[in-house]
């Protein structure tokens, strides 16, 4: 039974992602974010139990990436697509002045073509996960931003609008050019040739894990003070700390 536990947890990650997709399509961003967070939780513990029970295998690796593709790849792509569509104001087909703001028609649905740029995140996630599966170096560090971290970044945007409701932040987040820039940066960072430390503790002594502990402490403080607005800053801090400690990140 032990060998099936990690894969079962991985399937719970996939189920969470499937539910989140449906919710995101229907603009239920908060509930979708909850299921993405739940999926990321399962994603952490499937690997934990696989290592604990010594049942790591190629099936688990492939299944984990397939689940991540939905929860941390498709869902943020859908959310960005919907945010871009909202930022463009749902224009009418015949009244739009700009080609990029005109609606495209698919089975009764009208969407601004520019909104489809949001799916660059999904494409970048797929490419990143495929590379991860054949890269034997990424055991103690990551090359490029992990898909769960990127999903948290994208999902934080509607959460900031919903719970912090600051006019300035709302206007920025619902600016189509801001969303496009975030999409392009996100897609690049998923596959950037940059080493980022992993939150995996081989030991728990402070000296050898100083960067990880400092990052976790700073994350908790920022979340308490800034709430959901802290998430983009946490991701930025993660990248900056990784760049500053690049020489100490072991291959």
């Amino acid at each position: 039974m032990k060998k099936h536990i990690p894969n079962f947890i991985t399937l719970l990650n996939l189920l969470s992602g499937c539910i989140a997709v449906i919710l995101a399509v229907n603009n239920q961003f908060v509930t979708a974010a909850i299921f993405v967070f739940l999926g990321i939780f399962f994603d952490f513990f499937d690997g934990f139990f696989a290592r604990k029970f010594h049942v790591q295998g190629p099936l688990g690796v492939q299944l984990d990436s397939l689940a991540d593709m939905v929860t941390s790849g498709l869902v943020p792509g859908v959310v960005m697509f919907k945010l871009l569509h909202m930022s463009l104001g749902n224009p009418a087909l015949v009244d739009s002045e700009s080609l990029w703001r005109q609606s495209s028609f698919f089975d009764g649905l009208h969407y601004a073509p520019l909104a489809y740029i949001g799916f660059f995140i999904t494409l970048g996630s797929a490419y990143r996960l495929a590379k991860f599966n054949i890269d034997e170096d990424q055991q103690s560090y990551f090359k490029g931003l992990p898909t769960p971290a990127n999903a948290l970044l994208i999902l934080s945007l509607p959460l900031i609008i919903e719970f912090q409701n600051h006019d300035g932040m709302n206007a920025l987040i619902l600016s189509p050019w801001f969303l496009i820039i975030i999409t392009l940066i996100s897609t690049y960072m998923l596959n950037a040739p940059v080493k980022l430390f992993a939150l995996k503790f081989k030991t728990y002594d402070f000296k050898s894990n100083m960067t990880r502990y400092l990052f976790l402490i700073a994350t908790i403080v920022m979340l308490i003070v800034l709430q959901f607005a802290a998430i983009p800053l946490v991701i930025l801090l993660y990248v900056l700390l990784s760049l500053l400690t690049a020489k100490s990140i072991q291959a």
Side-chain angles (χ1 to χ4, degrees):
M1 285 295 295
K2 285 184 178 180
K3 69 178 182 179
H4 296 297
I5 292 176
N7 289 341
F8 175 72
I9 296 174
T10 302
L11 290 175
L12 291 178
N13 173 15
L14 178 57
L15 177 61
S16 299
C18 291
I19 296 172
V21 169
I22 297 172
L23 292 166
V25 167
N26 288 282
N27 297 332
Q28 301 294 318
F29 298 128
V30 175
T31 316
I34 292 173
F35 277 95
V36 169
F37 295 156
L38 187 61
I40 292 173
F41 173 82
F42 289 134
D43 184 42
F44 175 81
F45 277 100
D46 62 2
F48 172 82
F49 282 108
R51 292 188 294 271
K52 183 177 179 62
F53 296 148
H54 304 288
V55 292
Q56 298 105 314
L59 174 62
V61 172
Q62 300 301 324
L63 189 61
D64 184 71
S65 288
L66 290 171
D68 283 348
M69 182 59 221
V70 176
T71 304
S72 299
L74 179 58
V75 176
V78 171
V79 169
M80 183 57 75
F81 166 78
K82 298 291 282 187
L83 287 175
L84 276 165
H85 178 60
M86 290 167 58
S87 73
L88 294 169
N90 191 18
L93 179 63
V94 295
D95 296 331
S96 296
E97 297 178 357
S98 169
L99 174 64
W100 285 110
R101 289 176 178 269
Q102 288 180 352
S103 295
S104 58
F105 181 82
F106 291 104
D107 193 25
L109 301 176
H110 292 271
Y111 292 109
L114 190 63
Y116 293 101
I117 290 177
F119 286 114
F120 283 8
I121 294 171
T122 302
L123 302 182
S125 298
Y127 195 77
R128 193 242 186 278
L129 290 167
K131 286 200 305 180
F132 181 83
N133 282 358
I134 61 175
D135 190 342
E136 297 179 356
D137 293 336
Q138 298 186 64
Q139 300 301 317
S140 59
Y141 70 94
F142 297 111
K143 290 180 183 177
L145 190 65
T147 53
N150 187 67
L152 291 177
L153 171 64
I154 304 304
L155 267 294
S156 71
L157 301 178
L159 294 180
I160 293 170
I161 295 174
E162 178 69 23
F163 291 104
Q164 297 185 251
N165 197 25
H166 184 277
D167 290 341
M169 286 192 289
N170 291 355
L172 177 64
I173 292 172
L174 289 177
S175 164
W177 296 114
F178 172 79
L179 293 173
I180 290 170
I181 290 171
I182 290 295
T183 297
L184 296 178
I185 292 175
S186 164
T187 304
Y188 170 76
M189 285 304 302
L190 284 166
N191 295 281
V194 178
K195 290 184 179 180
L196 304 176
F197 65 86
L199 288 173
K200 295 178 181 178
F201 293 83
K202 294 182 179 179
T203 63
Y204 292 97
D205 64 290
F206 182 80
K207 185 176 181 180
S208 60
N209 294 289
M210 183 171 62
T211 301
R212 294 179 179 86
Y213 281 124
L214 290 176
F215 173 71
L216 290 174
I217 292 170
T219 296
I220 292 171
V221 171
M222 285 193 290
L223 287 173
I224 292 173
V225 175
L226 300 175
Q227 302 176 41
F228 291 108
I231 295 177
L233 297 178
V234 168
I235 301 301
L236 178 60
L237 176 64
Y238 174 53
V239 174
L240 291 177
L241 282 177
S242 296
L243 292 175
L244 291 173
T245 60
K247 292 183 179 180
S248 63
I249 297 177
Q250 298 179 352

